[in-house]
Amino acid sequence: MLPVMDHHSGFHQGGMIMKVLFIGNAGYRGRDYQQGRVYDLPEDIYNCLKQSCTPWDETPQGKKELVQGKAQDQQPKVKGISGEVLVIMSWGIGNIINKTPFIRVLKQQQVDVDILVEDQYMDVLKGWPLIRHIYFLSEFRKMKNRPNYSVIFDTVPTGIDISVLNLQKNVVAASNGMLPKMHEIEANLEMLQREGIWDGKNVPDPVMWIPQDVKDRIKINAGKKIIAVNAGYNKDQDFWKCKNWGYARFAQLINLMKKDPRWNDYIFAIMGTGDDAKVMDGLDDRKRIMNLINEHTIQETAWFLKHCQFIICNDTGLGHIASAVGVKSYCIFGPTSTVKNHPWNHSTLITRELECRPCQFSKMWKRCTDWKCLDINPEEVHDAILGNEFKYYDHGKKYGLPFVVMPHYDFPDWKRTVDSIPGEFQRCIPQDGFFAHNCNVGAEAARKAGAEWILCINDDIILNEKALKEMIELTPDADIIGCCTVLTNGQPENFGIHITQDEGRWRFTHSDQKCVDWINPSGSCFMIRTKAWFKLGGMKEIYKNSCEDTELFFTAREKGMRFKMCFTPVIHALSKSSNRMTYASENFRLFLERFPSSRINNVLRLAREKMPLVSVVIPHLPNRKMRTSETLQLQSYKNLEVIIQYDFCGKGHGWARNRGAEKANGKYIIFIDDDIILKPTMLMKMVVALEQDQKASFAYCNYSRSGVHSGDQIAMPWDVEKLKNRNTISMISMIRRSDLIPLDESIKRLIDWDCWLTMAEAGKYGVHINEILFEAVYDSDGVTMRGPDDFRIAQALVWEKHGIKNPWCVPNAKVEI
């Protein structure tokens, strides 16, 4: 897969840095344009680039702006302006769209905004309610009685000569000129910040206004997957031909995509004007081709693009239109500035890495004739697109991909969630009611789409590729799959909902402990079979934004459905939506009415029965104090069988452990000495580690020592070569019973070391839990307290048995038994 430049939506606020990649012999490289550093980036940099579904005017924020005539989030008036304002907008379609955030911030000052544009671009913002009047240049020049503007803003890039318009009075010009060293959205907003009109927070997205009559007029088959292709560029000036990747190359790219079976369900819409029709000349055939050259106005084009999967284009206006309506773009850049010109959201930029680019408006730009930066072959572009669009292709063929349901209320950063949904996944974003109702609406859409699985996520969840693939891989053996979440406020990971009883009252708490049998996964992110959803009757709409997921999962337990857990976390941004917890007490009371204690206890019992059985084998010498049994009772993991194997004849711990293992029935077995004090979560964490890594044969941890010996014993991550030199892995480790090799009973000391070396020789490995999970109490009569010579002899015997060179050089070492 070839690298591409990758722009992440929403990364502008708070001084975030745009990450970029280039096609070129240098491989994967990234540039931090704010600091001028160069650093390496991973191949999976693409994972946040996915499309949004809802245009500005259909979002809660946009609706409020339309009603109020101002932005929803009021910024404090540092200096403020009043009266009538004129904004001069010059150059192309993309430049005008990139000035809409400027207008949105101005409207927060509750002023009347007029705009002045060149004649050919008047239709871009026609009818937008935030603008009082649009003047085109030829009209404005003839006007004798112009409004008395309190402020006139000349925005970046400057292209209209305001001196001939007699507009010098009260003109505020951007200080960045033609080619700012930042995105032009940021350059223009910096002008407002400099004037004290804006505080520099919450950059609004660019928008594209689409009147209702356009939506009614342009009918689009929602069942079609459409890829838009625009080979056009600004033809007003000859020098813009440097943006043109080439009609023949666009045609070759379409031919490549049509031959690839992954694109069999897609059709290609050729868009543009005039000479852009030359793309048609290079096509192998006209099958699955829509010729839309000269068919639509700008606003009609925007409405059509809103229904496309993505657009492939040059550095041109249609890429910015796509961004404004929430659709991905793959933009091929030549010498123009990617920093200044990239579509603000959902854009992947493809370019050639050369020292001389970008050269826009420089002397080199005027001299260059061959534009090697555009020397990108169609195969490279196709590979770049495949790298984004079909990350989950193999998973889809093997398991099927889930249908994403994202209930949305009014969480302001919801687009970050939408951006994290892969483009390969179908999705529905209901936003007309409470959580349960919206989830049911989305589930019905999933059923109509024929989806086998539903992925339900809050509008404040940010998905990632690793977690999604892990959830998908769990689907063959599950009906419901929960997912761990990580909060953005620094709190521990949330592994689900624990149900406990405190002084006779039931309590639901978020768990920061890994568990494999949740009664309730977090409702913020989970997968469920579509058939299971409807068998359960969906979510109960009697609840208002809480407890509906708890009842769903409790009922699933009662019906014997299978639960699995994904332990790779997704980000949970903590929703600030209105009414998020307004009805929490009412919902909890209603839940307890429907689920009295007897019913809850029954669900808990059913859950425990589904947990893997763990056999705890305790070798025990008569007359020794049994410390372990007390701490076993406090374990959060409950599905245990405890086997106490007495050694009345002093045959040794190896004999006792083997006899105990022969009686074990559990999926997992753990040998625990009788002088061990366990932390309450130890067994749970070990089970989770082995459930998470199905190929690992055992799980081990760090521990502390007390008594004759003291201090922490930190185990090493699994490394066979280091294990040959010394052992740091305790015998008190959980072993998959199917992988257990009987212990060598002739080894009286360091039997744990011999065990792990034997398992390593059989091709088995362990997973390290880097936490102190138990305390070992060393008594003077314990096996560990024999003299140092005995230890060296035992060490030499282990080395000799496993063919490891003995650095101690103890000849003919023997231990009497």
Side-chain angles (χ1 to χ4, degrees):
M1 181 171 61
L2 286 163
V4 296
M5 177 181 291
D6 185 359
H7 169 60
H8 295 253
S9 167
F11 277 16
H12 311 278
Q13 300 182 26
M16 297 300 289
I17 295 165
M18 183 178 72
K19 297 177 179 178
V20 296
L21 293 172
F22 297 90
I23 287 176
N25 296 329
Y28 291 86
R29 302 288 286 173
R31 244 186 215 100
D32 172 343
Y33 278 101
Q34 292 186 2
Q35 303 296 332
R37 297 190 300 267
V38 176
Y39 50 87
D40 293 328
L41 293 175
E43 291 190 29
D44 62 357
I45 196 71
Y46 318 107
N47 64 357
C48 286
L49 281 175
K50 304 301 168 189
Q51 75 179 40
S52 168
C53 286
T54 308
W56 164 79
D57 54 302
E58 295 177 18
T59 64
Q61 301 98 308
K63 289 177 181 178
K64 290 181 180 179
E65 289 182 14
L66 290 177
V67 173
Q68 299 171 358
K70 58 184 180 180
Q72 175 197 4
D73 297 322
Q74 290 293 318
Q75 303 293 341
K77 295 184 180 181
V78 182
K79 178 186 291 185
I81 55 175
S82 60
E84 300 170 318
V85 173
L86 178 67
V87 179
I88 300 174
M89 295 184 170
S90 60
W91 294 76
I93 294 172
N95 304 109
I96 292 175
I97 289 173
N98 284 335
K99 292 177 176 68
T100 57
F102 187 89
I103 302 295
R104 294 179 71 183
V105 171
L106 275 180
K107 290 299 292 183
Q108 294 167 10
Q109 301 295 315
Q110 303 182 49
V111 297
D112 292 325
V113 178
D114 294 346
I115 66 171
L116 173 61
V117 298
E118 293 170 278
D119 296 21
Q120 64 268 42
Y121 302 123
M122 184 175 177
D123 287 344
V124 178
L125 298 179
K126 183 179 180 181
W128 191 26
L130 298 194
I131 297 172
R132 185 180 67 172
H133 190 79
I134 301 176
Y135 294 106
F136 49 91
L137 188 57
S138 60
E139 171 197 14
F140 197 80
R141 282 175 173 159
K142 299 174 184 178
M143 286 178 61
K144 294 181 179 180
N145 297 316
R146 298 171 182 169
N148 186 23
Y149 295 110
S150 58
V151 183
I152 298 169
F153 291 99
D154 190 14
T155 55
V156 171
T158 56
I160 296 177
D161 185 358
I162 62 173
S163 64
V164 303
L165 298 176
N166 192 26
L167 286 176
Q168 292 88 345
K169 183 180 178 182
N170 298 330
V171 172
V172 177
S175 60
N176 300 285
M178 291 292 291
L179 191 61
K181 294 181 179 179
M182 62 182 74
H183 197 279
E184 64 181 63
I185 288 177
E186 297 165 315
N188 286 315
L189 289 176
E190 184 185 62
M191 175 167 45
L192 294 180
Q193 190 173 11
R194 189 179 71 240
E195 295 299 312
I197 299 169
W198 180 56
D199 65 2
K201 299 178 181 178
N202 300 323
V203 178
D205 285 332
V207 299
M208 178 74 198
W209 172 250
I210 306 173
Q212 187 60 46
D213 66 304
V214 171
K215 298 176 183 179
D216 295 338
R217 187 165 63 250
I218 304 299
K219 302 298 183 182
I220 300 167
N221 184 347
K224 292 183 178 179
K225 293 182 180 180
I226 304 172
I227 298 171
V229 180
N230 173 233
Y233 60 96
N234 188 328
K235 305 177 184 69
D236 292 343
Q237 288 92 10
D238 188 57
F239 57 73
W240 287 125
K241 67 183 179 182
C242 67
K243 288 187 174 186
N244 186 15
W245 185 46
Y247 297 122
R249 286 180 177 141
F250 275 103
Q252 291 170 33
L253 174 61
I254 295 170
N255 291 335
L256 277 173
M257 296 175 76
K258 288 175 63 179
K259 291 175 182 177
D260 191 312
R262 284 170 283 194
W263 302 107
N264 281 351
D265 296 332
Y266 294 76
I267 60 177
F268 298 84
I270 313 300
M271 309 185 76
T273 60
D275 289 346
D276 299 342
K278 291 180 180 178
V279 172
M280 304 291 293
D281 299 337
L283 298 178
D284 292 341
D285 56 60
R286 303 295 173 93
K287 295 178 181 178
R288 293 191 285 137
I289 297 293
M290 297 173 65
N291 184 355
L292 300 180
I293 301 295
N294 298 318
E295 287 292 316
H296 292 148
T297 66
I298 293 174
Q299 291 178 333
E300 290 171 345
T301 297
W303 180 240
F304 183 88
L305 276 177
K306 192 248 180 278
H307 294 83
C308 295
Q309 301 296 307
F310 56 84
I311 183 173
I312 307 169
C313 58
N314 295 309
D315 170 20
T316 188
L318 263 65
H320 295 278
I321 292 177
S323 171
V325 297
V327 172
K328 293 177 293 183
S329 61
Y330 292 92
C331 301
I332 301 165
F333 269 70
T336 52
S337 170
T338 49
V339 175
K340 169 188 170 294
N341 297 333
H342 68 76
W344 187 248
N345 289 322
H346 324 296
S347 58
T348 300
L349 315 183
I350 304 172
T351 188
R352 175 70 63 190
E353 181 176 27
L354 295 174
E355 291 296 327
C356 59
R357 77 155 309 280
C359 63
Q360 185 177 1
F361 299 133
S362 70
K363 293 180 180 179
M364 176 70 73
W365 190 46
K366 296 177 181 179
R367 291 199 302 264
C368 189
T369 57
D370 56 3
W371 308 118
K372 290 183 179 179
C373 52
L374 281 171
D375 187 17
I376 304 169
N377 64 55
E379 289 78 11
E380 291 176 308
V381 175
H382 187 214
D383 287 346
I385 297 171
L386 287 175
N388 264 359
E389 297 300 319
F390 291 104
K391 283 184 188 176
Y392 300 87
Y393 182 76
D394 292 337
H395 279 70
K397 287 184 65 176
K398 186 174 181 179
Y399 304 102
L401 298 180
F403 186 102
V404 179
V405 176
M406 190 196 90
H408 173 53
Y409 191 61
D410 63 357
F411 181 54
D413 292 332
W414 67 287
K415 284 191 176 181
R416 295 181 65 192
T417 300
V418 177
D419 286 346
S420 72
I421 302 172
E424 297 160 76
F425 292 27
Q426 294 178 286
R427 85 283 304 275
C428 176
I429 306 180
Q431 48 186 321
D432 293 327
F434 289 113
F435 186 79
H437 171 76
N438 287 339
C439 286
N440 288 334
V441 170
E444 183 59 36
R447 179 162 66 175
K448 289 180 179 178
E452 185 177 351
W453 280 88
I454 298 167
L455 170 58
C456 189
I457 58 174
N458 281 9
D459 61 1
D460 57 354
I461 290 289
I462 301 174
L463 302 169
N464 63 74
E465 182 178 352
K466 185 176 180 182
L468 280 171
K469 287 185 175 178
E470 184 177 327
M471 283 192 281
I472 293 169
E473 289 165 3
L474 290 170
T475 55
D477 301 315
D479 298 302
I480 295 174
I481 301 167
C483 186
C484 168
T485 63
V486 175
L487 304 179
T488 55
N489 62 358
Q491 294 183 18
E493 294 172 300
N494 173 21
F495 294 99
I497 306 299
H498 272 189
I499 295 91
T500 56
Q501 206 167 19
D502 183 13
E503 297 181 355
R505 299 181 63 182
W506 289 103
R507 295 182 59 201
F508 292 2
T509 57
H510 289 281
S511 172
D512 61 356
Q513 302 296 333
K514 289 185 177 180
C515 182
V516 293
D517 70 311
W518 335 118
I519 307 308
N520 188 6
S522 172
S524 61
C525 181
F526 68 94
M527 281 177 57
I528 182 170
R529 287 187 187 273
T530 307
K531 289 182 179 179
W533 181 280
F534 289 98
K535 184 177 180 180
L536 296 169
M539 285 188 174
K540 303 305 179 189
E541 297 188 18
I542 56 175
Y543 296 108
K544 301 173 182 177
N545 289 346
S546 64
C547 291
E548 60 281 287
D549 51 345
T550 305
E551 173 156 336
L552 182 77
F553 299 135
F554 267 52
T555 308
R557 287 289 187 189
E558 291 176 324
K559 292 185 179 295
M561 293 185 180
R562 302 165 298 168
F563 282 67
K564 289 288 184 181
M565 189 68 189
C566 167
F567 296 109
T568 299
V570 297
I571 295 174
H572 193 180
L574 286 179
S575 175
K576 298 175 184 176
S577 298
S578 304
N579 298 325
R580 174 67 181 87
M581 299 301 294
T582 303
Y583 305 98
S585 298
E586 176 185 335
N587 289 329
F588 191 58
R589 177 187 55 77
L590 180 61
F591 175 81
L592 292 179
E593 289 176 2
R594 296 170 63 82
F595 281 82
S597 291
S598 58
R599 191 175 178 186
I600 293 177
N601 282 319
N602 182 56
V603 174
L604 288 168
R605 178 187 60 79
L606 292 170
R608 282 194 289 269
E609 290 175 356
K610 296 288 185 180
M611 300 162 73
L613 179 64
V614 175
S615 299
V616 180
V617 176
I618 305 175
H620 184 49
L621 294 172
N623 302 321
R624 274 180 58 84
K625 182 177 181 180
M626 171 68 77
R627 295 186 176 92
T628 303
S629 58
E630 296 177 3
T631 59
L632 277 174
Q633 297 176 21
L634 301 176
Q635 287 296 296
S636 60
Y637 195 87
K638 300 298 184 183
N639 198 15
L640 307 174
E641 67 170 7
V642 180
I643 302 167
I644 300 176
Q645 180 64 52
Y646 285 88
D647 182 10
F648 293 103
C649 301
K651 294 184 178 180
H653 276 205
W655 177 89
R657 287 170 176 138
N658 282 339
R659 300 294 81 75
E662 291 169 358
K663 302 170 185 175
N665 299 299
K667 179 179 181 180
Y668 302 115
I669 187 169
I670 184 168
F671 301 114
I672 302 180
D673 294 348
D674 56 12
D675 56 0
I676 299 300
I677 301 173
L678 309 178
K679 288 194 173 183
T681 59
M682 173 178 163
L683 298 183
M684 178 70 74
K685 290 185 175 183
M686 288 189 163
V687 170
V688 165
L690 291 173
E691 289 287 298
Q692 199 169 357
D693 188 344
Q694 292 289 330
K695 295 181 180 180
S697 296
F698 58 95
Y700 60 99
C701 65
N702 308 332
Y703 62 95
S704 61
R705 302 181 295 182
S706 64
V708 179
H709 284 310
S710 62
D712 296 340
Q713 185 70 23
I714 307 301
M716 294 184 296
W718 181 252
D719 187 317
V720 176
E721 292 306 313
K722 290 182 179 179
L723 181 66
K724 291 177 181 179
N725 294 327
R726 60 187 286 262
N727 181 43
T728 62
I729 304 175
S730 170
M731 193 73 243
I732 302 165
S733 303
M734 187 173 290
I735 305 171
R736 202 177 298 275
R737 189 161 67 94
S738 59
D739 290 343
L740 176 65
I741 298 173
L743 303 176
D744 186 344
E745 297 176 22
S746 69
I747 301 292
K748 300 301 182 182
R749 184 129 185 231
L750 302 180
I751 195 170
D752 48 4
W753 192 18
D754 174 68
C755 172
W756 310 133
L757 287 170
T758 301
M759 295 189 77
E761 290 163 358
K764 304 181 187 304
Y765 71 90
V767 56
H768 177 220
I769 302 171
N770 192 22
E771 294 182 55
I772 294 175
L773 295 181
F774 68 87
E775 176 188 347
V777 182
Y778 285 86
D779 297 323
S780 58
D781 60 344
V783 67
T784 307
M785 296 313 300
R786 296 184 184 178
D789 290 341
D790 185 78
F791 175 83
R792 288 196 175 188
I793 292 173
Q795 192 177 38
L797 284 173
V798 172
W799 276 328
E800 182 179 0
K801 174 182 175 181
H802 294 280
I804 301 169
K805 184 178 178 180
N806 181 353
W808 295 106
C809 298
V810 179
N812 303 316
K814 293 183 180 179
V815 177
E816 294 183 5
I817 301 175

